[in-house]
Amino acid sequence: MKPIFIVRTSFKIKNIVFGFVKLAALITIAWLLGRGFAFAVEAPFSMLDKTLGKIVTVNNSKHILLETMPILYPSADLEKDAVNSIIPNPKNLFLFLTNPNINGPGDYLGSELKLLKSTGDEAAAVSTGIYADTEEEYIPELQPESTSSELLSKENMKNLEKNGNPLVAIYTTHNAETYIPTDGTDKLEGQNAGISKVAATLAQALKNRQIETIRATVIHDYPSFPKSYNNSEKTFRTMLQGNSSLKVIIDVHRDAGVKKREVVKIDGQKVAKIMLIVGSNARLKHPNWQQNKKFAAEIVKKMNQMYPGLSKGYRVQSGRYNQHLHSHAILIEVGSAKNSLEEAERSVSLFADVLTAILAEMKN
């Protein structure tokens, strides 16, 4: 009788090994595409784009890989060559391997490519203020358009609500985002939906605390969602023009990747939790993104001091989300589609207290 050897291993080890196999497969596909085999997968990837709505309009499947996998995205000086030859960016590969929030390749691939998402428990490192959320939403961000004064359109100028010499600027890149319990859907295309009402509540709350604000109401995500950030960059630059007093610029969103309603009870009322998103230079040039990260960390710390439980911390993502234009630009996600509008509005009223305290410290 021949001996039989049985080897047992844990699920975690299996997931890590399988994750590396997936990573190797994707790099192989990228190499094949760079060698001229794009035609073989062009149609399937385009179909995937229409089905999931996660990929921006691109010229070919190589661009899709670059947009969805920052690890393959080259440095700024190699962007033109990358279209013809896709190879992993050594800098991004190093960041991937040394990221303390990555337990294995499955975590990275799962957050970037939804079809390869591995299930796992959410973890929160409260001491650092970093929330490791495996349900990260992919937000399309195209190459920037011209940054000349032509961007400052009359439409952007007339859709601004301003009082005094503003210290805070508020806008919404994804105006259609809203709250299911209130509106019965998570988006109202072409409208200033629930998230815009939340932004208005934040502006009014700051005004009530004698903090001058400027708020944009122009719609950025319609008719082209992939161009949302190109459009909101124009608004951002418009608000900066002639408003040298600005100290903080806020892009108000609501999270799309949370599976269940998340609330915290503060002063006897249920309020939506707030996540801060920090952009990086993984996809587009953003050399000073660490300044935005430092500012986000300060806000999270102040939120934890004033209203424990309100903050979900901050999360670094691959886009830059206009934050390259100002060192104190932040993106906040007020609750998720599962929260009600009322919970979100209560949340930003408390957040106004936090910003007031932050601005006072900045002044001193």
Side-chain angles (χ1 to χ4, degrees):
M1 175 181 287
K2 294 182 179 179
I4 299 175
F5 295 94
I6 300 176
V7 179
R8 301 183 65 184
T9 184
S10 67
F11 284 107
K12 186 173 182 179
I13 293 176
K14 288 181 180 178
N15 288 337
I16 291 175
V17 172
F18 185 58
F20 275 109
V21 172
K22 290 191 285 186
L23 178 61
L26 285 169
I27 292 176
T28 301
I29 292 172
W31 179 82
L32 288 172
L33 291 173
R35 301 289 293 179
F37 289 90
F39 69 93
V41 294
E42 183 72 31
F45 268 96
S46 299
M47 189 179 300
L48 180 65
D49 172 27
K50 294 177 181 177
T51 303
L52 298 182
K54 298 296 183 184
I55 312 301
V56 298
T57 303
V58 293
N59 296 327
N60 56 48
S61 52
K62 286 180 282 188
H63 284 81
I64 293 176
L65 282 175
L66 291 178
E67 284 293 331
T68 54
M69 289 198 68
I71 196 173
L72 296 176
Y73 207 95
S75 57
D77 56 340
L78 295 177
E79 286 182 5
K80 292 182 179 178
D81 295 336
V83 176
N84 299 319
S85 179
I86 300 176
I87 57 173
N89 182 351
K91 179 180 67 175
N92 291 344
L93 183 60
F94 174 78
L95 291 174
F96 160 59
L97 293 174
T98 58
N99 189 335
N101 292 323
I102 298 296
N103 297 318
D107 285 358
Y108 182 87
L109 297 174
S111 66
E112 297 299 311
L113 293 177
K114 297 300 182 181
L115 289 181
L116 298 177
K117 183 181 182 301
S118 300
T119 58
D121 295 331
E122 293 181 354
V126 178
S127 60
T128 62
I130 301 174
Y131 185 89
D133 188 352
T134 57
E135 290 293 329
E136 175 181 333
E137 177 189 14
Y138 177 78
I139 304 176
E141 188 175 23
L142 302 176
Q143 289 288 343
E145 297 175 349
S146 170
T147 56
S148 68
S149 59
E150 295 175 359
L151 289 177
L152 310 181
S153 66
K154 292 182 179 179
E155 181 184 13
N156 289 63
M157 294 295 287
K158 73 180 182 181
N159 284 282
L160 293 178
E161 298 173 356
K162 177 181 175 181
N163 62 289
N165 295 315
L167 297 177
V168 179
I170 301 171
Y171 69 103
T172 49
T173 294
H174 295 153
N175 309 67
E177 292 179 341
T178 195
Y179 300 91
I180 296 174
T182 301
D183 289 323
T185 182
D186 62 346
K187 284 186 179 182
L188 293 172
E189 300 291 348
Q191 299 183 36
N192 272 315
I195 200 61
S196 296
K197 295 176 182 177
V198 171
T201 299
L202 175 59
Q204 184 60 50
L206 287 169
K207 185 178 179 180
N208 293 343
R209 292 159 179 76
Q210 285 72 55
I211 304 296
E212 293 84 1
T213 65
I214 180 171
R215 186 174 79 90
T217 59
V218 61
I219 292 176
H220 303 116
D221 59 351
Y222 187 85
S224 174
F225 180 78
K227 289 186 177 180
S228 300
Y229 279 97
N230 291 79
N231 296 333
S232 64
E233 180 181 341
K234 300 173 187 178
T235 295
F236 197 130
R237 291 180 182 276
T238 302
M239 291 190 293
L240 287 177
Q241 187 182 50
N243 292 304
S244 59
S245 57
L246 285 173
K247 301 298 182 184
V248 182
I249 294 88
I250 307 171
D251 188 3
V252 185
H253 292 249
R254 62 106 181 92
D255 201 340
V258 178
K259 297 178 181 178
K260 58 184 179 181
R261 172 173 167 261
E262 294 180 339
V263 295
V264 59
K265 206 167 188 179
I266 298 177
D267 295 333
Q269 291 188 314
K270 292 180 179 180
V271 302
K273 294 188 176 186
I274 295 178
M275 163 82 78
L276 273 70
I277 301 297
V278 177
S280 67
N281 60 352
R283 276 193 270 161
L284 297 174
K285 188 176 181 180
H286 185 9
N288 301 316
W289 69 271
Q290 294 281 358
Q291 295 179 17
N292 300 94
K293 178 182 174 183
K294 180 180 179 181
F295 185 57
E298 292 173 359
I299 293 177
V300 168
K301 182 179 179 181
K302 183 62 67 175
M303 291 175 73
N304 289 336
Q305 290 173 353
M306 296 179 65
Y307 298 111
L310 176 63
S311 171
K312 289 176 61 177
Y314 67 85
R315 181 176 64 206
V316 177
Q317 292 190 181
S318 57
R320 63 182 185 182
Y321 317 124
N322 299 331
Q323 293 173 9
H324 63 296
L325 299 176
H326 198 283
S327 60
H328 290 160
I330 59 174
L331 188 159
I332 62 173
E333 292 186 339
V334 187
S336 71
K338 306 293 194 302
N339 289 104
S340 68
L341 175 61
E342 291 76 15
E343 291 167 347
E345 290 181 323
R346 294 182 197 127
S347 180
V348 290
S349 294
L350 300 178
F351 189 68
D353 289 335
V354 175
L355 282 178
T356 302
I358 289 287
L359 289 166
E361 291 179 359
M362 292 171 65
K363 183 178 180 180
N364 294 332

